[in-house]
DNA sequence: CTGAAAGCGCTTACAG
DNA sequence: CTGAAAGCGCTTACAG
């Protein structure tokens, strides 16, 4: 602050104009107990000397810091940029700052992160919880962004509907045999997505779920997923619960000489930054993070500003629809599909260019 | 705060023990002007009633908030998680909180973001500047993370040395014709990386630079980069300035039926989360963000805590070496390389598994 | 070793 | 419409 504050404060303005600090405060905050002329004079002087109110002073007096905490399970998560950006935007639009905290994997650190924020007197916290964690009462308003099937007050994307959209799209293209690729069977989000997919299987459709962590526990980490063999088994649609897994699947198939989308379709979830940059572009589902963040922040702000004693937020548990982004990894099932394709992939036709 | 503070404060402890608030403060902060016994008693009582000091009160009195700002050019940047995580860790280890601000592309918003932070009385700011932006004196201590060739006080990875390491690695594998793939020719970081690459060309080596934004200005956004043709021209090494471009190159080559690494090697930069997950795993360079963040935060904290009047930081402009992470996209140049390979890629041998 | 006092910058009853 | 006073929770000279 020594550097920051230009040194001007309420009292200085007051002294300059021969009025009281209280009047300056009232004039500047526009509470309307000051004559219009005085307000103008005070405003002008404030602007002139470059007065910036001290949020710290205000915080001490009002008991509100105007800062929200954001706790993420793991900042290194590729989805984090989207979340952080949306939350930061929604919060600063509402006049709040955002303090970040990383729970770096462990549940213990999540608790730590939360208390660091609480010590800094944040007015509320947005939490994207670790898998399986339940956020209990932490003594300040909380909004949880997770999955609709998480118990407690949450805001989230409609992962189930997203899963339905994927399979509907692929079924419409003639696919019947789906390999659903998840990472961790304990994740609510992933289960919702896969549940949605299964719920929309077409007549005569068949789906099988592959959990990568389970596969790796058996065959070692980072190896191939054996997808070429699954193509030989007749699977033509590979639907991952995240773009990360979709990319893994796509590159594995390409590497094995299986043309995507001619011989196999691949879909992801989340529309991560690189999804539109790869060849072929990845068909995926996008969350409306702006809306989700908005709902979370608005709910938080409502609780904070009405001084409601509870910590509950968003009692109606809204879930926001996801949008299917169709790119080039999905295509009508070829007549020959269902057998390993060793045909040379052609250069994509002009119309397929992004 | 209404929710947050358990309600206990210095005066309460003081009242409980029949001593003054000043003594409680001194005891708790361990400044050593209080008898050992009293310190023990005070500590015990504090712990018992769950006293948590108000950082806001302290901030108002000391003129320091204990909060640092982090300004990023675009939170959606895939490198952001690494940076934010490292900064958050270094800052919280030093006892500081981190307030984020997104400059969302425009220079105007960068200025905005900075002043929002300054208004919140941050003690210092870490900036990852937008390309071409110069951070002028903003009235509070600043550490800039960019490239060593940025004018001003910066901390950064040694991008030049990273570029050298890439080409040395590939030259050692027999490669002679390098296509260096950049995105934006105005980026200091990218130019450093490419400059380093060029500086280590082997005897008889040849390098050509391709700037994607320039290419796209001519041929349209998101199309193919024409890499298959470059393979036909005899290029065998495709060195991107970022994993994002490397992924684009890799998938484009795979899609065109060119086997990586048998017919062409591909390298990236930054070791983004997915780089180890794709097939084949991407050879890339990793920044030591933990060290970079540490240097930035330490420099900032030194300026803040010595109450130095200036805003300069890290006068020695340290640059931190990058580490080559060799995976499977780079291999000894095949005898047949230099001509388009249409051979079926084989299933990777066991030893290549990650 | 300990305490009384002042003050960081603000806002909010309360009185005039 | 305007002002004097109190106080948010802390720390820091200063005095004893």
């Amino acid at each position: 602050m020594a550097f920051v504050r230009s040194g001007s404060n309420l009292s200085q303005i007051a002294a300059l104009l021969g009025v009281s600090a209280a009047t300056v405060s009232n004039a500047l905050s526009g509470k309307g107990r000051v004559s219009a002329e005085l307000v103008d004079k005070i405003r002008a002087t404030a602007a002139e000397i470059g007065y910036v109110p001290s949020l710290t002073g205000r915080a001490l007096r009002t008991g509100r810091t105007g800062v929200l905490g954001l706790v993420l399970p793991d900042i290194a998560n590729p989805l984090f940029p989207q979340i952080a950006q949306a939350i930061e935007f929604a919060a600063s639009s509402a006049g709040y700052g955002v303090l970040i905290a990383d729970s770096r994997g462990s549940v213990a650190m999540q608790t730590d992160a939360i208390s660091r924020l609480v010590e800094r007197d944040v007015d509320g916290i947005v939490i994207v919880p670790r898998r399986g964690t339940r956020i209990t009462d932490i003594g300040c308003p909380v909004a949880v962004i997770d999955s609709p099937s998480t118990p407690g007050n949450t805001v989230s994307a409609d992962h189930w509907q997203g899963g339905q959209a994927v399979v509907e799209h692929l079924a419409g293209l003639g696919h019947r045999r789906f390999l659903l690729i998840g990472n961790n069977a304990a994740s609510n989000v992933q289960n919702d997505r896969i549940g949605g997919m299964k719920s929309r299987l077409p007549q005569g459709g068949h789906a099988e779920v592959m959990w990568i962590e389970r596969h790796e526990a058996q065959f070692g980490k980072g190896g191939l997923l054996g997808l070429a063999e699954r193509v030989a088994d007749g699977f033509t649609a590979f639907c991952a619960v995240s773009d990360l897994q979709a990319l893994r699947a796509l590159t594995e198939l390409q590497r094995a000489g299986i043309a995507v989308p001619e011989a196999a379709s691949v879909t992801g979830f989340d529309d991560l930054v690189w999804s539109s940059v790869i060849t072929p572009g990845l068909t995926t589902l996008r969350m409306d993070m702006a809306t989700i963040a908005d709902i979370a922040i608005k709910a938080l702000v409502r609780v904070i500003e009405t001084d409601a004693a509870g910590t509950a937020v968003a009692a109606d548990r809204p879930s926001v629809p996801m949008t299917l982004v169709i790119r080039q990894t999905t295509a009508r099932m070829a007549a020959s599909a269902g057998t390993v394709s060793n045909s040379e992939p052609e250069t994509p036709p002009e119309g397929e260019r992004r």
Side-chain angles (χ1 to χ4, degrees), chain A:
Chain A
M1 213 134 69
F3 315 92
V4 171
R5 325 237 85 250
S6 42
S8 61
N9 57 24
L10 275 189
S11 321
Q12 274 173 41
I13 300 179
L16 240 38
L17 290 168
V19 299
S20 76
T23 299
V24 176
S25 172
N26 281 325
L28 258 25
S29 62
K31 291 246 167 51
R33 307 101 150 310
V34 186
S35 66
E37 308 133 71
L38 230 192
V39 168
D40 285 348
K41 274 210 293 196
I42 290 172
R43 288 250 161 90
T45 317
E48 196 180 326
I49 67 173
Y51 168 72
V52 178
S54 160
L55 265 15
T56 306
R58 182 178 298 166
L60 187 55
R61 170 66 225 221
T62 62
R64 279 189 206 138
T65 53
V67 174
L68 263 24
L70 174 61
V71 180
L72 293 134
D74 180 9
I75 291 188
N77 185 311
L79 198 55
F80 173 59
Q82 277 182 40
I83 299 178
Q85 177 162 7
I87 293 289
E88 198 268 344
F89 185 75
S92 69
S93 301
Y96 286 79
V98 177
L99 215 41
I100 54 172
D102 185 358
S103 55
R104 292 202 151 222
S106 78
V107 177
M109 297 229 40
Q110 176 170 294
T111 312
D112 250 44
I114 293 173
S115 46
R116 274 206 306 277
L117 292 175
V118 169
E119 278 177 25
R120 290 200 182 275
D121 297 337
V122 295
D123 292 335
I125 299 187
V126 177
I127 302 186
V128 182
R130 283 189 49 67
R131 263 195 301 277
T133 317
R134 258 193 85 167
I135 306 304
T136 56
D137 192 330
I138 58 174
C140 90
V142 174
V144 177
I145 297 183
D146 194 1
S147 128
S149 56
T150 310
N153 295 294
T154 61
V155 188
S156 65
D158 193 338
H159 304 289
W160 184 276
Q161 163 264 328
Q164 295 182 320
V166 170
V167 168
E168 275 167 10
H169 167 60
L170 288 165
L173 292 170
H175 293 270
R176 290 295 174 269
R177 290 179 65 82
F178 300 83
L179 187 70
L180 314 183
I181 305 174
N183 185 50
N184 183 303
S187 156
N188 281 329
V189 169
Q190 295 179 36
N191 275 302
D192 279 9
R193 291 176 175 183
I194 284 183
M197 293 182 198
K198 283 182 173 168
S199 77
R200 279 291 190 276
L201 281 185
Q203 290 284 339
H206 167 74
E208 196 178 313
V209 180
M210 169 179 200
W211 294 105
I212 292 186
E213 286 193 1
R214 213 170 273 171
H215 174 93
E216 292 192 328
Q218 194 174 350
F219 299 102
K221 241 181 113 82
L224 295 177
L225 300 175
L227 299 186
E229 290 78 357
R230 309 317 292 266
V231 171
D233 292 345
F235 286 94
T236 63
F238 296 80
C239 307
V241 296
S242 153
D243 284 358
L244 198 61
Q245 276 86 255
L247 179 62
R248 183 167 179 177
L250 172 65
T251 54
E252 179 172 330
L253 290 168
Q254 283 191 332
R255 171 76 184 160
I258 295 164
V260 175
E262 292 82 351
S265 286
V266 175
T267 64
F269 254 94
D270 296 340
D271 197 19
L272 300 181
V273 269
W274 42 261
S275 303
S276 60
V277 158
I278 58 178
T279 302
L282 183 63
T283 293
T284 186
L285 273 108
R286 188 188 292 152
M287 304 208 250
D288 185 356
M289 267 311 303
T291 300
I292 294 172
D294 226 59
I295 293 173
I297 298 296
K298 284 222 172 77
L300 224 36
V301 168
R302 187 170 42 73
V303 175
I304 293 167
E305 300 189 352
T306 60
D307 223 27
T311 65
V313 143
D316 47 343
R317 299 232 222 142
S319 64
V320 179
M322 301 192 75
T323 308
L324 181 65
V325 181
I326 301 177
R327 298 207 181 89
Q328 294 89 41
T329 53
T330 46
R332 180 155 289 284
M333 199 184 70
S336 65
T339 61
V340 178
S341 158
N342 280 323
S343 61
E344 287 303 323
E346 313 131 25
T347 304
E350 198 59 26
E352 211 176 31
R353 291 181 148 231
R354 272 161 284 112

